[in-house]
Amino acid sequence: MGDQDALFNQYETEYCNISTEVARNLQVISTVSPDQRRGKLREVDASLKNAEQIIKRMEMEARSFSPDKSRALLLKVKEFKADHAALKTDAKKVSGAAAPGAAARAELGLSDDYYSTSAGQRERMLAGTERLAKTGSRIQQGQQQLLETEELGTSILGDLHRQRETITHARDTLHGADDNIATARRVLAVMSRRLMTNKLIMIGIICLLLGAIGLILYYKLQG
């Protein structure tokens, strides 16, 4: 279970890092040259595809947990899907705004130089800052889960150590009981031999007495 938690947390961290990088790229696209803009857009597209694959792996991993934990993790995966969809939407808007021609800008309701104005830059900066804050919060949650998993692992190891000590103590107790039983058997064997010896002595004494009585009776009858 610990390995499963670590793998899911690893996927979560990877997605947060990718989404943060995508948000940063979307934030700076409007400030770079056309050639750099096209490169950034290709980089964003590749990162979004990679993030989508990571979300799929996260979902598969979440379904492998127990039902209660699986539900909680699937809710988190749903949040990542929503965040990924929002990033794709932002990427499409930025790509449309960066495309030549007034038609693409008209669909967004933006003037040709909107993103070069202070208002456009401020809007993009606020959106990027908000996204970075959300991503940072998710990273903190992932780190907290890692700490909780580490604490749980330490607790389990402590329990296993205590159980091992209990088993060792029980084994020593059993060995002591075996020794006591062996000693008792030896004592019983000695007592049994002594009892048999005493019986033989008593039988011998009885035989001697009977012989003496017989001799006495014989001599009296002869006299």
Side-chain angles (χ1 to χ4, degrees), residues 61-80:
E61 194 66 27
R63 295 184 185 279
S64 66
F65 285 86
S66 61
D68 292 339
K69 190 167 186 178
S70 178
R71 282 193 294 269
L73 293 178
L74 287 174
L75 287 176
K76 186 176 291 186
V77 172
K78 185 177 180 180
E79 294 177 1
F80 287 139

Side-chain angles (χ1 to χ4, degrees), residues 19-53:
S19 63
T20 300
E21 186 64 25
V22 169
R24 288 174 180 169
N25 286 332
L26 292 176
Q27 188 175 358
V28 301
I29 279 178
S30 62
T31 63
V32 299
S33 65
D35 290 339
Q36 292 176 327
R37 187 178 303 145
R38 285 190 291 271
K40 288 289 185 183
L41 287 173
R42 287 193 295 269
E43 184 178 341
V44 165
D45 184 63
S47 296
L48 287 174
K49 290 179 180 179
N50 189 19
E52 185 176 5
Q53 293 300 319

Side-chain angles (χ1 to χ4, degrees), residues 79-195:
E79 294 177 1
F80 287 139
K81 286 183 177 179
D83 181 74
H84 182 266
L87 284 174
K88 289 182 67 175
T89 300
D90 291 344
K92 288 180 181 178
K93 288 181 179 180
V94 172
S95 178
R105 294 179 177 85
E107 290 180 1
L108 298 173
L110 303 175
S111 62
D112 291 342
D113 59 349
Y114 175 76
Y115 284 111
S116 64
T117 64
S118 59
Q121 292 178 355
R122 183 168 59 253
E123 179 182 338
R124 186 173 298 282
M125 185 176 296
L126 290 174
T129 301
E130 182 180 358
R131 187 174 301 281
L132 288 175
K134 290 181 179 179
T135 303
S137 177
R138 287 195 296 269
I139 292 175
Q140 289 179 352
Q141 291 177 357
Q143 291 175 343
Q144 181 64 30
Q145 289 182 348
L146 284 174
L147 290 175
E148 292 176 354
T149 302
E150 183 178 356
E151 291 176 356
L152 178 60
T154 302
S155 176
I156 292 174
L157 288 176
D159 292 339
L160 290 175
H161 180 70
R162 286 190 293 271
Q163 290 176 5
R164 180 181 178 182
E165 290 180 347
T166 301
I167 292 172
T168 302
H169 177 71
R171 184 179 60 190
D172 294 339
T173 302
L174 287 175
H175 287 167
D178 289 341
D179 294 340
N180 293 333
I181 291 172
T183 302
R185 285 178 177 175
R186 287 194 296 270
V187 171
L188 289 174
V190 172
M191 291 177 64
S192 177
R193 287 195 297 270
R194 289 181 178 177
L195 182 60

